[in-house]
Amino acid sequence: QRLIDKVKDQPGRKFVWVVWAGGNSPFSKFAELELQKRYGIEMATGGNILPAMVAYKQLPGMEGAAYYYFGMPKNTVNDAMVARHYTQFKSPPDFFTAGGFASAMALVTALKKTNGNTDANTLIAAMEGMSFDTPKGKMTFRKEDHQAMQSMYHFKIKVDPAFAWGVPELVREIKPEEMNVPIRNKR
């Protein structure tokens, strides 16, 4: 209530960003409060695991950002991973699957660069500034701080009866070069 009271009379577009993991989602309660209708306060959130996104169906049109949802990246690596996941598990992959796959792709790319040398300092040198393909698109380990730079996906939730969850429909891919992620270390 304190948040609503603080934001409701502010000018401009207003958002409450909800971050939630696991069951007992707060989305039902927020939907009941009709914040947008009553105060012009919109809800926003990030991507999540598929079971947690079931609650998103209650809020069609809700916007947010994610680093992965199986239907958003358009590349051959994602296409192959999604197809294999459906074949093996009869369901789409979630962002943990894509993250694990990206980690494996990073390691394989680094080992190719080092001709199989697994010395830690050799791998670090090979991975600094290294770009590699992932289901999420091209990823680069920034040399200055080892930050994994990758695309993010602005989405809007739509309700599709074919899925148990609210489907994040791509609004726009936000490329790494559009983001001004600060370098905070003092190397």
Side-chain angles (χ1 to χ4, degrees):
Q1 186 61 51
R2 288 190 309 261
L3 177 64
I4 294 166
D5 289 342
K6 179 71 176 174
V7 173
K8 70 181 182 181
D9 296 321
Q10 298 296 316
R13 201 167 175 195
K14 300 173 279 284
F15 286 92
V16 172
W17 182 273
V18 178
V19 177
W20 197 260
N24 301 319
S25 155
F27 291 100
S28 296
K29 186 62 177 172
F30 276 104
E32 289 172 20
L33 291 172
E34 298 182 312
L35 296 178
Q36 188 166 5
K37 182 178 173 183
R38 292 170 57 208
Y39 305 116
I41 300 172
E42 301 175 62
M43 285 192 55
T45 194
N48 211 320
I49 59 172
L50 302 176
M53 290 171 46
V54 169
Y56 293 7
K57 262 192 158 173
Q58 302 168 62
L59 297 157
M62 177 177 63
E63 294 184 49
Y67 60 84
Y68 183 80
Y69 175 74
F70 75 95
M72 288 195 259
K74 303 300 181 203
N75 63 67
T76 57
V77 176
N78 189 55
D79 293 346
M81 184 188 76
V82 170
R84 179 66 185 255
H85 202 276
Y86 266 112
T87 299
Q88 190 168 351
F89 300 107
K90 312 297 184 240
S91 67
D94 66 14
F95 61 40
F96 288 119
T97 305
F101 197 115
S103 296
M105 296 290 283
L107 185 58
V108 167
T109 304
L111 288 170
K112 284 181 179 179
K113 282 181 74 174
T114 67
N115 294 315
N117 187 335
T118 59
D119 172 71
N121 290 328
T122 302
L123 284 171
I124 290 168
M127 294 173 107
E128 286 182 334
M130 183 182 82
S131 294
F132 53 101
D133 292 321
T134 80
K136 302 186 275 183
K138 185 159 299 286
M139 189 179 286
T140 301
F141 290 135
R142 191 163 60 184
K143 183 175 179 142
E144 297 83 0
D145 60 359
H146 304 174
Q147 175 68 45
M149 302 300 292
Q150 63 186 26
S151 288
M152 295 292 290
Y153 300 95
H154 173 193
F155 66 78
K156 185 179 278 194
I157 294 298
K158 77 172 188 178
V159 174
D160 182 336
F163 294 97
W165 53 87
V167 175
E169 188 172 47
L170 182 64
V171 172
R172 184 173 86 83
E173 179 178 353
I174 305 162
K175 298 278 192 179
E177 51 273 11
E178 295 179 63
M179 297 177 231
N180 186 19
V181 179
I183 299 171
R184 298 203 185 267
N185 64 346
K186 306 293 184 216
R187 286 179 43 170

